[in-house]
């Protein structure tokens, strides 16, 4: 989470691995309104990666991801289209001429 905190100290950030089995959040995401991270242990069917002191590192797998994701609003169709246009523009500016989506929503 420290890498994300350095770039986004105030804005909650949550990134998910492409296969959907792991996510990575910054401190702002872990302390956002309504989020509760158990001080020890794991979630049934998931894992909270912790440091030597037992604090969550920001990495969550499988069912533990729900501790964060259930608080993230679902983007509207308009927001998704805007994000897609920005991503395609950025890809084109960097010489990427083709992208594909292997069936991921």
């Amino acid at each position: 989470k420290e890498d994300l905190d350095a770039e986004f100290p105030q804005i909650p950030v949550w990134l998910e691995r492409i296969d959907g089995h792991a996510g990575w959040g910054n401190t702002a995401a872990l302390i956002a309104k309504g989020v509760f991270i158990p001080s020890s242990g794991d979630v049934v069917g998931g894992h909270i990666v912790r440091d030597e002191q037992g604090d969550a590192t920001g990495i969550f797998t499988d069912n533990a991801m729900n501790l964060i994701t259930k608080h993230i609003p679902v983007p509207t169709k308009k927001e998704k289209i805007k994000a897609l246009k920005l991503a395609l523009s950025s890809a084109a500016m960097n010489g990427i001429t083709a992208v594909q989506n292997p069936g991921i929503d």
Side-chain angles (χ1 to χ4, degrees), residues 13-28:
V13 174
W14 177 255
L15 305 173
E16 287 189 19
R17 198 168 68 189
I18 191 78
D19 66 6
H21 287 284
W24 176 33
N26 66 348
T27 298

Side-chain angles (χ1 to χ4, degrees), residues 13-73:
V13 174
W14 177 255
L15 305 173
E16 287 189 19
R17 198 168 68 189
I18 191 78
D19 66 6
H21 287 284
W24 176 33
N26 66 348
T27 298
L30 303 187
I31 63 171
K33 182 179 179 185
V35 173
F36 171 74
I37 310 298
S39 59
S40 64
D42 277 326
V43 174
V44 174
H47 178 64
I48 302 167
V49 178
R50 299 180 184 278
D51 62 18
E52 298 80 31
Q53 290 76 39
D55 297 324
T57 64
I59 300 171
F60 297 77
T61 64
D62 298 314
N63 287 347
M65 295 168 55
N66 294 333
L67 295 169
I68 306 295
T69 59
K70 69 182 178 183
H71 299 286
I72 300 173

